[in-house]
Amino acid sequence: MNTPAPEASPGIGLGHAPASQGRRRALAATLAGGLALASAAWWGLGGDGSRLDDPGHAYHFLGPLDRAVLAALAGGLLDGVQPAFSPAHGAALAQGVDIAIAGLPPRTRGDLRRLFDLLTTRGGRTALVGLGTPADGITPWRALTPEQAARALAAWRDADLALLNRAYAGLHDLVLGVWYGDPDHWAGTGYPGPPQL
């Protein structure tokens, strides 16, 4: 049996949309693309003004933004140590961490680079540390309290995601190793120093 094919209405079923639908689709796609680009640019920007400048040391790994991140997070890792950690210790700690990182294997240095690169973006600060949202503005690293840093780092340490656990462990070991590697900090632990031979 031969049944006649249904008549197609113009523009429907033939792969052609009416002109007004085509314009709407193009406008929607342009708008969506523009919003996606603007969002990506906003989340990717790191310029919160936090920098730890230290012209007295030739850094090989840590840039000024990295040093600001390190000093802010160190406040949470070194909370309660004697002598007490303060922002004044930031440059000396950053110098020691920079030297320690230079001695690490290339793969580990690459992992640390990716971590610092992520933490210096707005999206990284918001997602990994909780430093603000688009609604309430972004908190600069220099304004992070030791309590906020400790909470964020504890969340990394206790996370179900192994990547966050590794990020916590790496920063913990670097910061505490450099801190307690300084003989000026031994007295606070009761360590008298190595035996005199």
Side-chain angles (χ1 to χ4, degrees):
M1 277 197 99
N2 251 345
T3 51
E7 288 187 34
S9 46
I12 299 176
L14 299 177
H16 301 285
S20 62
Q21 281 184 333
R23 281 192 295 268
R24 283 188 201 125
R25 284 187 188 136
L27 181 59
T30 302
L31 181 61
L35 286 173
L37 284 173
S39 296
W42 189 87
W43 280 98
L45 294 174
D48 73 0
S50 295
R51 296 173 57 89
L52 181 58
D53 292 318
D54 182 14
H57 179 75
Y59 286 89
H60 300 287
F61 184 86
L62 297 173
L65 292 174
D66 302 331
R67 295 190 298 266
V69 169
L70 179 68
L73 292 176
L77 289 167
L78 297 171
D79 192 29
V81 298
Q82 295 299 324
F85 177 77
S86 72
H89 293 108
L93 181 71
Q95 289 173 12
V97 169
D98 190 69
I99 292 167
I101 290 172
L104 294 173
R107 182 176 177 173
T108 305
R109 286 194 311 268
D111 289 345
L112 285 167
R113 172 56 27 225
R114 284 186 289 281
L115 175 63
F116 278 105
D117 287 348
L118 181 61
L119 289 172
T120 56
T121 65
R122 287 181 178 177
R125 283 195 310 268
T126 301
L128 296 177
V129 185
L131 288 182
T133 63
D136 63 10
I138 299 297
T139 303
W141 282 107
R142 66 181 173 272
L144 185 70
T145 66
E147 295 78 21
Q148 289 172 310
R151 276 195 306 276
L153 291 165
W156 293 7
R157 180 193 63 217
D158 301 335
D160 291 331
L161 188 62
L163 187 62
L164 288 176
N165 303 146
R166 285 186 23 220
Y168 169 81
L171 283 176
H172 176 273
D173 292 354
L174 276 170
V175 168
L176 270 70
V178 167
W179 182 262
Y180 288 116
D182 183 346
D184 292 341
H185 302 147
W186 294 347
T189 65
Y191 177 61
Q196 298 295 322
L197 298 178

